[in-house]
Short mmCIF file of all heavy atoms in Angstrom, two decimals:
data_model
loop_
_atom_site.label_atom_id
_atom_site.label_comp_id
_atom_site.label_asym_id
_atom_site.label_seq_id
_atom_site.Cartn_x
_atom_site.Cartn_y
_atom_site.Cartn_z
N THR A 173 -4.53 24.48 3.00
CA THR A 173 -4.62 25.95 2.89
C THR A 173 -6.07 26.38 2.81
O THR A 173 -6.39 27.51 3.17
CB THR A 173 -3.85 26.45 1.66
OG1 THR A 173 -4.34 25.79 0.49
CG2 THR A 173 -2.35 26.21 1.81
N TYR A 174 -6.95 25.51 2.35
CA TYR A 174 -8.39 25.79 2.32
C TYR A 174 -8.95 25.41 3.68
O TYR A 174 -8.83 24.27 4.11
CB TYR A 174 -9.06 24.97 1.21
CG TYR A 174 -10.49 25.39 0.95
CD1 TYR A 174 -10.75 26.50 0.16
CD2 TYR A 174 -11.55 24.69 1.49
CE1 TYR A 174 -12.05 26.90 -0.09
CE2 TYR A 174 -12.84 25.08 1.25
CZ TYR A 174 -13.09 26.18 0.46
OH TYR A 174 -14.39 26.59 0.22
N LYS A 175 -9.53 26.35 4.38
CA LYS A 175 -9.89 26.13 5.78
C LYS A 175 -11.36 25.81 6.03
O LYS A 175 -11.72 25.39 7.12
CB LYS A 175 -9.49 27.35 6.63
CG LYS A 175 -8.00 27.59 6.66
CD LYS A 175 -7.25 26.39 7.18
CE LYS A 175 -5.76 26.62 7.26
NZ LYS A 175 -5.01 25.43 7.55
N ASN A 176 -12.24 26.00 5.04
CA ASN A 176 -13.66 25.74 5.26
C ASN A 176 -13.96 24.27 4.97
O ASN A 176 -14.66 23.92 4.04
CB ASN A 176 -14.52 26.66 4.38
CG ASN A 176 -15.98 26.66 4.80
OD1 ASN A 176 -16.32 26.19 5.87
ND2 ASN A 176 -16.82 27.18 3.94
N LEU A 177 -13.36 23.41 5.80
CA LEU A 177 -13.56 21.99 5.59
C LEU A 177 -13.62 21.23 6.90
O LEU A 177 -13.24 21.74 7.95
CB LEU A 177 -12.48 21.41 4.68
CG LEU A 177 -11.01 21.49 5.07
CD1 LEU A 177 -10.60 20.38 6.01
CD2 LEU A 177 -10.17 21.41 3.82
N LEU A 178 -14.15 20.03 6.81
CA LEU A 178 -14.15 19.12 7.95
C LEU A 178 -13.69 17.76 7.45
O LEU A 178 -13.74 17.47 6.26
CB LEU A 178 -15.51 19.05 8.62
CG LEU A 178 -16.70 18.59 7.79
CD1 LEU A 178 -16.98 17.12 8.03
CD2 LEU A 178 -17.92 19.40 8.19
N HIS A 179 -13.21 16.97 8.36
CA HIS A 179 -12.69 15.64 8.03
C HIS A 179 -13.62 14.61 8.65
O HIS A 179 -13.82 14.58 9.85
CB HIS A 179 -11.27 15.50 8.60
CG HIS A 179 -10.51 14.36 8.03
ND1 HIS A 179 -9.21 14.11 8.41
CD2 HIS A 179 -10.82 13.40 7.13
CE1 HIS A 179 -8.76 13.04 7.76
NE2 HIS A 179 -9.73 12.60 6.98
N VAL A 180 -14.22 13.77 7.80
CA VAL A 180 -15.11 12.70 8.26
C VAL A 180 -14.38 11.38 8.06
O VAL A 180 -14.09 10.99 6.94
CB VAL A 180 -16.45 12.69 7.48
CG1 VAL A 180 -17.32 11.52 7.95
CG2 VAL A 180 -17.18 14.01 7.63
N MET A 181 -14.08 10.74 9.17
CA MET A 181 -13.41 9.45 9.12
C MET A 181 -14.41 8.37 9.53
O MET A 181 -15.15 8.54 10.50
CB MET A 181 -12.19 9.44 10.04
CG MET A 181 -11.16 10.47 9.60
SD MET A 181 -9.60 10.32 10.46
CE MET A 181 -9.00 8.76 9.85
N VAL A 182 -14.45 7.28 8.77
CA VAL A 182 -15.38 6.20 9.04
C VAL A 182 -14.59 4.91 9.22
O VAL A 182 -13.92 4.45 8.29
CB VAL A 182 -16.43 6.05 7.93
CG1 VAL A 182 -17.45 4.98 8.31
CG2 VAL A 182 -17.14 7.37 7.67
N ALA A 183 -14.68 4.37 10.42
CA ALA A 183 -13.92 3.18 10.78
C ALA A 183 -14.67 1.92 10.39
O ALA A 183 -15.86 1.78 10.68
CB ALA A 183 -13.66 3.16 12.28
N ASP A 184 -13.98 1.02 9.74
CA ASP A 184 -14.55 -0.26 9.34
C ASP A 184 -14.17 -1.31 10.37
O ASP A 184 -13.19 -2.04 10.21
CB ASP A 184 -14.02 -0.62 7.94
CG ASP A 184 -14.79 -1.76 7.29
OD1 ASP A 184 -15.82 -2.18 7.85
OD2 ASP A 184 -14.36 -2.21 6.22
N GLY A 185 -14.92 -1.34 11.48
CA GLY A 185 -14.71 -2.35 12.51
C GLY A 185 -13.60 -2.07 13.50
O GLY A 185 -13.08 -2.99 14.14
N CYS A 186 -13.21 -0.83 13.65
CA CYS A 186 -12.22 -0.45 14.66
C CYS A 186 -12.59 0.94 15.16
O CYS A 186 -13.67 1.43 14.85
CB CYS A 186 -10.80 -0.49 14.11
SG CYS A 186 -10.48 0.67 12.77
N ASN A 187 -11.74 1.57 15.92
CA ASN A 187 -12.04 2.92 16.38
C ASN A 187 -10.76 3.76 16.40
O ASN A 187 -9.68 3.24 16.64
CB ASN A 187 -12.68 2.91 17.77
CG ASN A 187 -13.51 4.16 18.00
OD1 ASN A 187 -13.46 5.11 17.23
ND2 ASN A 187 -14.29 4.17 19.07
N LEU A 188 -10.93 5.03 16.17
CA LEU A 188 -9.81 5.96 16.11
C LEU A 188 -9.28 6.25 17.51
O LEU A 188 -10.05 6.64 18.39
CB LEU A 188 -10.28 7.27 15.45
CG LEU A 188 -9.22 8.26 15.04
CD1 LEU A 188 -8.37 7.68 13.92
CD2 LEU A 188 -9.87 9.54 14.55
N PRO A 189 -7.99 6.07 17.74
CA PRO A 189 -7.42 6.40 19.04
C PRO A 189 -7.60 7.90 19.34
O PRO A 189 -7.51 8.73 18.43
CB PRO A 189 -5.94 6.05 18.89
CG PRO A 189 -5.88 5.06 17.78
CD PRO A 189 -6.99 5.46 16.84
N PRO A 190 -7.86 8.24 20.59
CA PRO A 190 -8.10 9.65 20.95
C PRO A 190 -6.98 10.60 20.57
O PRO A 190 -7.23 11.78 20.32
CB PRO A 190 -8.26 9.60 22.48
CG PRO A 190 -8.63 8.19 22.79
CD PRO A 190 -8.01 7.35 21.73
N ARG A 191 -5.76 10.13 20.46
CA ARG A 191 -4.64 11.02 20.12
C ARG A 191 -4.79 11.65 18.74
O ARG A 191 -4.16 12.65 18.44
CB ARG A 191 -3.31 10.27 20.23
CG ARG A 191 -3.09 9.21 19.16
CD ARG A 191 -1.75 8.49 19.35
NE ARG A 191 -1.54 7.45 18.39
CZ ARG A 191 -1.95 6.20 18.50
NH1 ARG A 191 -2.63 5.82 19.59
NH2 ARG A 191 -1.71 5.31 17.56
N TYR A 192 -5.62 11.07 17.89
CA TYR A 192 -5.80 11.59 16.53
C TYR A 192 -6.92 12.62 16.41
O TYR A 192 -7.05 13.27 15.39
CB TYR A 192 -6.10 10.46 15.56
CG TYR A 192 -4.95 9.52 15.32
CD1 TYR A 192 -5.13 8.15 15.45
CD2 TYR A 192 -3.69 9.98 14.96
CE1 TYR A 192 -4.08 7.27 15.22
CE2 TYR A 192 -2.65 9.11 14.74
CZ TYR A 192 -2.85 7.76 14.87
OH TYR A 192 -1.81 6.89 14.64
N THR A 193 -7.75 12.74 17.39
CA THR A 193 -8.92 13.61 17.26
C THR A 193 -8.56 15.09 17.33
O THR A 193 -7.57 15.47 17.96
CB THR A 193 -9.97 13.28 18.34
OG1 THR A 193 -9.41 13.52 19.62
CG2 THR A 193 -10.44 11.85 18.24
N HIS A 194 -9.35 15.89 16.64
CA HIS A 194 -9.23 17.35 16.70
C HIS A 194 -10.59 17.96 16.37
O HIS A 194 -11.54 17.24 16.05
CB HIS A 194 -8.12 17.86 15.77
CG HIS A 194 -8.34 17.52 14.33
ND1 HIS A 194 -9.15 18.26 13.50
CD2 HIS A 194 -7.87 16.50 13.57
CE1 HIS A 194 -9.16 17.73 12.30
NE2 HIS A 194 -8.40 16.65 12.31
N ASN A 195 -10.72 19.27 16.46
CA ASN A 195 -12.02 19.94 16.36
C ASN A 195 -12.76 19.71 15.05
O ASN A 195 -13.99 19.65 15.03
CB ASN A 195 -11.87 21.44 16.59
CG ASN A 195 -11.56 21.76 18.03
OD1 ASN A 195 -11.79 20.94 18.91
ND2 ASN A 195 -11.03 22.93 18.28
N ASN A 196 -12.07 19.63 13.92
CA ASN A 196 -12.74 19.47 12.64
C ASN A 196 -12.82 18.03 12.17
O ASN A 196 -13.13 17.77 11.02
CB ASN A 196 -12.05 20.32 11.56
CG ASN A 196 -12.26 21.79 11.80
OD1 ASN A 196 -13.28 22.20 12.34
ND2 ASN A 196 -11.31 22.60 11.42
N LEU A 197 -12.52 17.09 13.05
CA LEU A 197 -12.57 15.68 12.69
C LEU A 197 -13.82 15.04 13.29
O LEU A 197 -14.05 15.12 14.49
CB LEU A 197 -11.32 14.96 13.18
CG LEU A 197 -11.14 13.54 12.68
CD1 LEU A 197 -9.67 13.25 12.46
CD2 LEU A 197 -11.75 12.53 13.58
N HIS A 198 -14.61 14.43 12.44
CA HIS A 198 -15.78 13.67 12.86
C HIS A 198 -15.47 12.20 12.63
O HIS A 198 -15.13 11.82 11.50
CB HIS A 198 -17.01 14.06 12.05
CG HIS A 198 -17.41 15.49 12.22
ND1 HIS A 198 -18.65 15.85 12.67
CD2 HIS A 198 -16.74 16.64 12.00
CE1 HIS A 198 -18.73 17.17 12.72
NE2 HIS A 198 -17.57 17.66 12.31
N ASN A 199 -15.57 11.39 13.66
CA ASN A 199 -15.27 9.97 13.54
C ASN A 199 -16.53 9.15 13.71
O ASN A 199 -17.28 9.34 14.67
CB ASN A 199 -14.24 9.55 14.58
CG ASN A 199 -13.83 8.11 14.42
OD1 ASN A 199 -13.35 7.72 13.37
ND2 ASN A 199 -14.04 7.32 15.44
N ILE A 200 -16.79 8.27 12.76
CA ILE A 200 -17.91 7.34 12.84
C ILE A 200 -17.30 5.95 12.89
O ILE A 200 -16.58 5.55 11.97
CB ILE A 200 -18.83 7.47 11.61
CG1 ILE A 200 -19.37 8.89 11.49
CG2 ILE A 200 -19.96 6.45 11.67
CD1 ILE A 200 -20.04 9.19 10.16
N ALA A 201 -17.59 5.22 13.94
CA ALA A 201 -17.01 3.88 14.10
C ALA A 201 -18.09 2.84 13.84
O ALA A 201 -19.04 2.72 14.61
CB ALA A 201 -16.44 3.72 15.50
N LEU A 202 -17.94 2.09 12.76
CA LEU A 202 -18.84 0.99 12.48
C LEU A 202 -18.41 -0.20 13.34
O LEU A 202 -17.23 -0.54 13.38
CB LEU A 202 -18.78 0.61 11.00
CG LEU A 202 -19.13 1.74 10.03
CD1 LEU A 202 -18.99 1.26 8.58
CD2 LEU A 202 -20.52 2.27 10.28
N PRO A 203 -19.34 -0.83 14.04
CA PRO A 203 -18.96 -1.87 15.01
C PRO A 203 -18.46 -3.16 14.38
O PRO A 203 -17.72 -3.92 15.01
CB PRO A 203 -20.25 -2.12 15.79
CG PRO A 203 -21.34 -1.71 14.86
CD PRO A 203 -20.78 -0.59 14.04
N ASN A 204 -18.86 -3.43 13.14
CA ASN A 204 -18.47 -4.67 12.47
C ASN A 204 -17.71 -4.35 11.19
O ASN A 204 -18.09 -3.44 10.46
CB ASN A 204 -19.69 -5.51 12.13
CG ASN A 204 -20.47 -5.89 13.36
OD1 ASN A 204 -19.93 -6.44 14.30
ND2 ASN A 204 -21.75 -5.57 13.37
N ARG A 205 -16.70 -5.13 10.93
CA ARG A 205 -15.92 -4.93 9.71
C ARG A 205 -16.70 -5.44 8.50
O ARG A 205 -17.15 -6.57 8.48
CB ARG A 205 -14.59 -5.65 9.84
CG ARG A 205 -13.65 -5.26 8.76
CD ARG A 205 -12.24 -5.38 9.21
NE ARG A 205 -11.39 -4.95 8.12
CZ ARG A 205 -10.13 -5.21 8.08
NH1 ARG A 205 -9.55 -5.85 9.05
NH2 ARG A 205 -9.42 -4.79 7.07
N LEU A 206 -16.85 -4.58 7.50
CA LEU A 206 -17.62 -4.93 6.32
C LEU A 206 -16.76 -5.50 5.20
O LEU A 206 -17.26 -6.18 4.31
CB LEU A 206 -18.38 -3.70 5.82
CG LEU A 206 -19.34 -3.11 6.85
CD1 LEU A 206 -19.93 -1.80 6.36
CD2 LEU A 206 -20.43 -4.09 7.21
N ASN A 207 -15.48 -5.21 5.23
CA ASN A 207 -14.53 -5.79 4.28
C ASN A 207 -14.91 -5.58 2.81
O ASN A 207 -14.82 -6.49 2.00
CB ASN A 207 -14.34 -7.29 4.54
CG ASN A 207 -13.53 -7.56 5.78
OD1 ASN A 207 -12.55 -6.87 6.05
ND2 ASN A 207 -13.95 -8.53 6.56
N ASN A 208 -15.36 -4.39 2.46
CA ASN A 208 -15.66 -4.13 1.05
C ASN A 208 -14.83 -2.96 0.52
O ASN A 208 -15.32 -2.12 -0.21
CB ASN A 208 -17.16 -3.93 0.82
CG ASN A 208 -17.73 -2.73 1.54
OD1 ASN A 208 -17.02 -2.02 2.25
ND2 ASN A 208 -19.00 -2.49 1.36
N TYR A 209 -13.57 -2.95 0.92
CA TYR A 209 -12.58 -2.00 0.42
C TYR A 209 -12.92 -0.54 0.73
O TYR A 209 -12.52 0.36 0.01
CB TYR A 209 -12.36 -2.19 -1.09
CG TYR A 209 -12.01 -3.60 -1.44
CD1 TYR A 209 -12.96 -4.45 -1.98
CD2 TYR A 209 -10.73 -4.09 -1.19
CE1 TYR A 209 -12.65 -5.77 -2.28
CE2 TYR A 209 -10.41 -5.41 -1.49
CZ TYR A 209 -11.38 -6.25 -2.04
OH TYR A 209 -11.06 -7.54 -2.32
N GLY A 210 -13.69 -0.32 1.78
CA GLY A 210 -14.03 1.04 2.18
C GLY A 210 -15.23 1.63 1.47
O GLY A 210 -15.58 2.78 1.69
N ASP A 211 -15.89 0.86 0.61
CA ASP A 211 -17.03 1.40 -0.14
C ASP A 211 -18.18 1.82 0.77
O ASP A 211 -18.73 2.90 0.63
CB ASP A 211 -17.51 0.39 -1.19
CG ASP A 211 -16.50 0.18 -2.29
OD1 ASP A 211 -15.57 1.01 -2.45
OD2 ASP A 211 -16.61 -0.84 -3.01
N SER A 212 -18.57 0.95 1.71
CA SER A 212 -19.65 1.32 2.63
C SER A 212 -19.24 2.47 3.55
O SER A 212 -20.02 3.42 3.72
CB SER A 212 -20.09 0.11 3.46
OG SER A 212 -20.71 -0.84 2.63
N PRO A 213 -18.05 2.44 4.14
CA PRO A 213 -17.63 3.59 4.95
C PRO A 213 -17.61 4.90 4.16
O PRO A 213 -18.03 5.94 4.66
CB PRO A 213 -16.24 3.20 5.45
CG PRO A 213 -16.28 1.72 5.51
CD PRO A 213 -17.10 1.32 4.32
N ARG A 214 -17.16 4.88 2.91
CA ARG A 214 -17.19 6.09 2.08
C ARG A 214 -18.63 6.59 1.92
O ARG A 214 -18.89 7.78 2.05
CB ARG A 214 -16.59 5.82 0.70
CG ARG A 214 -15.11 5.90 0.64
CD ARG A 214 -14.60 5.73 -0.80
NE ARG A 214 -13.22 5.31 -0.76
CZ ARG A 214 -12.80 4.06 -0.72
NH1 ARG A 214 -13.65 3.06 -0.74
NH2 ARG A 214 -11.52 3.79 -0.66
N SER A 215 -19.54 5.68 1.60
CA SER A 215 -20.93 6.06 1.39
C SER A 215 -21.55 6.65 2.66
O SER A 215 -22.25 7.66 2.61
CB SER A 215 -21.75 4.84 0.94
OG SER A 215 -21.26 4.33 -0.26
N ILE A 216 -21.28 6.03 3.77
CA ILE A 216 -21.80 6.53 5.05
C ILE A 216 -21.21 7.91 5.34
O ILE A 216 -21.92 8.82 5.78
CB ILE A 216 -21.49 5.53 6.19
CG1 ILE A 216 -22.35 4.27 5.99
CG2 ILE A 216 -21.70 6.15 7.56
CD1 ILE A 216 -21.92 3.08 6.82
N GLY A 217 -19.93 8.09 5.09
CA GLY A 217 -19.29 9.39 5.29
C GLY A 217 -19.90 10.48 4.44
O GLY A 217 -20.11 11.61 4.89
N VAL A 218 -20.21 10.17 3.18
CA VAL A 218 -20.82 11.14 2.27
C VAL A 218 -22.20 11.55 2.77
O VAL A 218 -22.53 12.74 2.83
CB VAL A 218 -20.89 10.58 0.83
CG1 VAL A 218 -21.77 11.43 -0.05
CG2 VAL A 218 -19.49 10.48 0.24
N ILE A 219 -23.02 10.57 3.12
CA ILE A 219 -24.37 10.87 3.62
C ILE A 219 -24.29 11.73 4.88
O ILE A 219 -25.01 12.72 5.02
CB ILE A 219 -25.15 9.57 3.87
CG1 ILE A 219 -25.43 8.87 2.54
CG2 ILE A 219 -26.44 9.84 4.63
CD1 ILE A 219 -25.90 7.43 2.68
N TYR A 220 -23.41 11.38 5.77
CA TYR A 220 -23.22 12.14 7.01
C TYR A 220 -22.79 13.58 6.71
O TYR A 220 -23.35 14.53 7.26
CB TYR A 220 -22.19 11.43 7.89
CG TYR A 220 -21.84 12.15 9.15
CD1 TYR A 220 -22.64 12.03 10.29
CD2 TYR A 220 -20.70 12.95 9.24
CE1 TYR A 220 -22.32 12.69 11.47
CE2 TYR A 220 -20.37 13.61 10.41
CZ TYR A 220 -21.18 13.48 11.52
OH TYR A 220 -20.87 14.15 12.68
#
């Protein structure tokens, strides 16, 4: 219901299929899997 937002998705060694993309979604695909429970992807998403 809150519309002033964007969605930042950060992939840990994979990529988001195009069927999921939309205007407010930003996808960052890390080329290598870091395997640290999403901690690095979360941090990268916050900085971005």
Side-chain angles (χ1 to χ4, degrees):
T173 56
Y174 191 81
K175 296 302 182 189
N176 193 14
L177 60 83
L178 60 98
H179 195 179
V180 178
M181 298 190 67
V182 184
D184 193 7
C186 63
N187 205 349
L188 192 66
R191 69 181 178 274
Y192 292 128
T193 62
H194 60 83
N195 289 341
N196 290 330
L197 190 145
H198 297 238
N199 184 58
I200 302 168
L202 302 178
N204 300 306
R205 191 151 182 196
L206 302 173
N207 287 319
N208 63 359
Y209 306 102
D211 293 343
S212 293
R214 277 185 201 89
S215 299
I216 290 166
V218 167
I219 292 167
Y220 177 83

